């Protein structure tokens, strides 16, 4: 039996099938490769938003506890918040932690709309609220979740990108059947295109599970706003009231009858004792002072390493009775599986070590995407007539400019977000567009990768050193982050300083001069 008849690779695919999958993989990769890269790279950075946003925000540093100081209770801080915001509106409260700084209270409803205050957790004094100021990691997180497009359409688009990324990964496996057999083959040959091809295949095989899980969970999160209402209403025959009550419990209208309120701190303490290894980090107060008043306490596992998202307990502020419990763990296997989507996507179930694994995997996934696009463009450019190669050269410059540009622009945003947060967004976009413009003006666009590495490493090192030397207030957490950023900057500088051997440089020449050779 010929090799054509018995198929290629462990999957026993025919050559015609492999070619079809290759065409599908190439089409999806070239059309969506840049967006895939942006989502993957920004997602790797967004993993540490919760840890690094405390490093960026000065308000977090100024609420660091002093020796012998005791934090005020939730009720004392809540009373001060009501004094600033009034008690006739619903209030969402985020309790102070080393990561979010002060006691943040947001009021909703009433004639004044939305309003918020931040209080010092040890003195109750009103703090300058920088919670909504543009910060680099919050900015990059939104780039990952909605590409900074109008909501909710940006989130829906990212969900669709997740679907196409799953298709690209699956078709990539089918298009390279021998890669599954040669999972340990990496030919560090002097021909650059061959090395990049092997690197792309190896990253694809070893990162297949991680990439597919990230794409699938991202698709669910992004498209939830479209399909969830449809599925819920279908389950309840279109009855919105029944669907709402089933998931969030009964809701009572405000009656105007005054009632004494129970201390919120005692309700928090009771709940945390009843549900061990959890803590309340935020809560929502509705109808304060009314006989229908209640508080929705959001429970989070401690440490936050649960595979299923937390739960919410709605408790009466009049008699302390439980009104409703919203949880993913008591509604069957399907609901429990759905509750794992967000922890699985953001690596919230294994501590910082797991997040580090996620970060490295996300960077490697981004590298796989970038190498795949460049390999395809180089191959197609070499196969075209000389007079038709300029368009592929332009696409090649665009891909290099976008990928190198977002890396450098992210470093610039981190620097500006730390020291001049008001200019974070314009600095990011100007840096990114500037690198793309430079890519179109360079004769050897691949040299931009080394230049971008030098600039990125230098910006990160300067930012970390500036924070350590110039910041008047430091905490153990901010010092640790600065040292990590400094080390990452030096690693990038070290990698950028590596030069290929003379043999590799001479052999890589055909890759850069493919346009000068006749098509095969």
């Amino acid at each position: 039996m010929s090799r054509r008849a018995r198929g290629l690779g462990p999957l026993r695919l025919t050559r015609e099938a492999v070619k079809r999958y290759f065409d599908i993989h190439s089409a999806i990769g070239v059309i969506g490769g840049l967006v895939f890269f942006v989502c993957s790279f920004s997602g790797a950075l967004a993993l540490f938003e919760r840890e690094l946003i405390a490093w960026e925000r000065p308000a977090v540093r100024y609420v660091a506890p002093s020796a012998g100081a005791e934090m005020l209770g939730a009720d004392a801080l809540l009373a001060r918040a009501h004094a600033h915001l009034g008690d006739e509106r619903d209030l969402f409260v985020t309790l102070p932690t080393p990561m979010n700084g002060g006691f943040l209270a947001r009021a909703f409803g009433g004639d004044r709309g939305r309003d918020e205050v931040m209080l010092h957790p040890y003195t109750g004094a009103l703090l300058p609220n920088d919670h909504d100021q543009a910060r680099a990691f919050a900015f990059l997180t939104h780039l990952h979740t909605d590409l900074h497009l109008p909501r909710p359409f940006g989130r829906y688009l990212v969900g669709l990108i997740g679907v196409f990324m799953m298709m690209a990964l699956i078709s990539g496996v089918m298009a390279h059947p021998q890669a599954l057999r040669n999972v340990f083959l990496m030919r560090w040959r002097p021909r650059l295109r061959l090395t990049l091809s092997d690197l792309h295949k190896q990253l694809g095989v070893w990162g297949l599970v991680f990439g597919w899980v990230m794409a699938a969970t991202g698709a669910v999160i992004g498209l939830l706003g479209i399909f969830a209402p449809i599925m819920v209403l279908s389950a309840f025959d279109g009855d919105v009231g029944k669907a709402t009550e089933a998931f969030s419990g009964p809701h009572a209208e405000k009656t105007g009858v005054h009632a004494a309120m129970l201390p919120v701190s005692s309700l928090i303490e009771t709940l945390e004792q009843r549900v061990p290894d959890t803590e309340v980090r935020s809560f929502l107060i509705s109808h304060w002072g009314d006989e229908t008043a209640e508080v929705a306490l959001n429970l989070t596992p401690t440490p936050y390493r649960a595979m299923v998202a937390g739960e919410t307990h709605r408790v009466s502020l009049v008699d302390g009775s439980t009104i409703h419990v919203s949880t993913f763990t008591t509604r069957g296997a399907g609901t429990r599986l759905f509750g794992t989507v967000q922890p699985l996507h953001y690596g919230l179930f294994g501590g910082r070590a797991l997040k580090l694994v996620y970060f490295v995997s996300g960077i490697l996934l981004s590298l796989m995407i970038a190498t795949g696009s460049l390999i395809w463009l180089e191959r197609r450019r070499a196969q075209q007539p000389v007079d038709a190669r300029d368009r592929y050269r332009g696409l090649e410059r665009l891909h290099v400019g976008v990928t190198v540009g977002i890396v450098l622009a992210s470093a610039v945003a981190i620097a500006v977000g730390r020291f001049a947060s008001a200019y974070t967004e314009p600095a990011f976009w100007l840096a990114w567009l500037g690198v793309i413009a430079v890519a179109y003006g360079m004769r050897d666009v691949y040299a931009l990768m080394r230049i971008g590495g030098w600039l990125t490493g230098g910006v990160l090192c300067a930012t970390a050193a500036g924070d350590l030397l110039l910041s008047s207030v430091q905490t153990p957490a901010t010092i640790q982050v600065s040292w990590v950023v400094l080390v990452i900057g030096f690693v990038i500088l070290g990698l950028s300083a590596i030069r290929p051997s003379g043999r590799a440089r001479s052999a890589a020449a055909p890759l850069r001069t493919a346009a000068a050779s006749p098509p095969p």
Side-chain angles (χ1 to χ4, degrees), residues 44-56 99 136-142 346 355:
L45 299 180
L47 287 169
F48 297 96
E49 179 192 9
R50 182 176 301 177
E51 291 82 0
L52 297 180
I53 200 169
W55 175 75
E56 291 184 293
M99 296 301 174
F137 288 97
F139 177 82
L140 292 170
T141 297
H142 283 299
Y346 291 103
K355 279 192 174 185

Side-chain angles (χ1 to χ4, degrees), residues 193-251:
R193 182 163 27 179
L194 179 61
T195 301
L196 290 178
S197 178
D198 282 355
L199 180 62
H200 176 73
K201 294 173 185 177
Q202 295 307 308
L203 290 175
V205 172
W206 290 103
L208 176 64
V209 175
F210 174 82
W212 200 90
V213 169
M214 292 300 101
T217 52
V220 172
I221 295 173
L223 298 176
L224 180 63
I226 296 178
F227 295 105
I230 299 174
M231 294 185 293
V232 170
L233 291 178
S234 299
F236 291 90
D237 298 325
D239 192 324
V240 178
K242 286 184 179 180
T244 302
E245 184 172 339
F247 282 88
S248 59
H251 287 267

